[in-house]
Amino acid sequence: MSILSLINAALQKHGWLIASLPIDEEDRAAQLIKLLVEDNADGRARRHTLQPWLWYERPVRERFDGQGCCLTVEGPIYRSRDGTGYPLGSQLRTEFGWLDLTPEETNELADEVRSAIDLTLLRWFTRPDMAERQLPSRQSRDRYFDDNVARNLILSATPLTASMEQDAHAN
């Protein structure tokens, strides 16, 4: 049985199907499928993250989700004679409706959004209280330890609810 058949079998269990897959991408696709079909919180989070990409008819190249707006850049990317890459367009969704943008408008808006993201993230990164936490490279995660630390930080930053207080008194 080919890897594509195995992948399709796994996807069909979840109502998904891949029609074709380049041979040089089979291993990477198989790893992705394993992660997507995990029956745990990580697998559910990955499937939830992927779901918006399945709403669109064209491949989604980028998504910029705000609190009230979303820009979805559609691909593939086509090169102009001068070498500039243009997506097929984009869709901007707000609480007021949808706006289809041309390839040129999409490039302009996506560049503006990326610049705003960079500015915000760099402002956080360069804050004095973040200096001692900065590292030269990405650190690997020890999921068991790091997830528990994250849960404890979330609990310490969250006010107790009535049911949490009852649980605390019961123990």
Side-chain angles (χ1 to χ4, degrees):
M1 183 179 262
S2 76
I3 189 72
L4 181 57
S5 299
L6 293 172
I7 291 170
N8 275 334
L11 287 173
Q12 285 175 359
K13 289 179 185 178
H14 297 277
W16 301 344
L17 180 67
I18 293 178
S20 64
L21 184 69
I23 288 181
D24 60 335
E25 295 182 16
E26 285 182 348
D27 288 338
R28 182 73 179 123
Q31 292 170 354
L32 176 62
I33 299 309
K34 273 186 184 176
L35 293 171
L36 286 172
V37 299
E38 281 182 352
D39 190 20
N40 56 30
D42 287 341
R44 285 187 298 277
R46 290 181 188 107
R47 288 187 296 276
H48 178 75
T49 301
L50 181 64
Q51 193 64 41
W53 268 264
L54 302 176
W55 293 347
Y56 296 90
E57 292 110 24
R58 295 175 175 159
V60 174
R61 298 288 301 172
E62 295 178 281
R63 273 181 81 81
F64 300 101
D65 281 323
Q67 293 180 352
C69 300
C70 173
L71 175 66
T72 303
V73 178
E74 302 168 330
I77 302 294
Y78 288 95
R79 299 264 171 230
S80 66
R81 290 186 181 131
D82 69 358
T84 303
Y86 289 94
L88 291 178
S90 63
Q91 295 185 2
L92 175 59
R93 178 183 47 81
T94 71
E95 63 183 281
F96 308 109
W98 292 78
L99 178 63
D100 287 335
L101 299 174
T102 67
E104 189 174 20
E105 292 168 333
T106 298
N107 269 358
E108 185 180 335
L109 181 56
D111 284 346
E112 202 173 315
V113 171
R114 279 189 219 96
S115 294
I117 291 169
D118 284 346
L119 181 64
T120 302
L121 296 179
L122 286 171
R123 189 178 68 235
W124 268 77
F125 189 84
T126 58
R127 285 177 23 182
D129 60 329
M130 298 291 172
E132 67 184 40
R133 294 169 45 191
Q134 295 171 5
L135 301 169
S137 62
R138 182 181 185 276
Q139 303 299 301
S140 62
R141 299 272 193 220
D142 176 350
R143 291 296 310 271
Y144 180 77
F145 176 77
D146 290 341
D147 289 358
N148 283 327
V149 169
R151 279 189 210 99
N152 289 335
L153 288 169
I154 292 167
L155 287 173
S156 69
T158 308
L160 289 174
T161 63
S163 63
M164 292 169 79
E165 289 177 9
Q166 289 173 353
D167 291 343
H169 292 301
N171 293 330

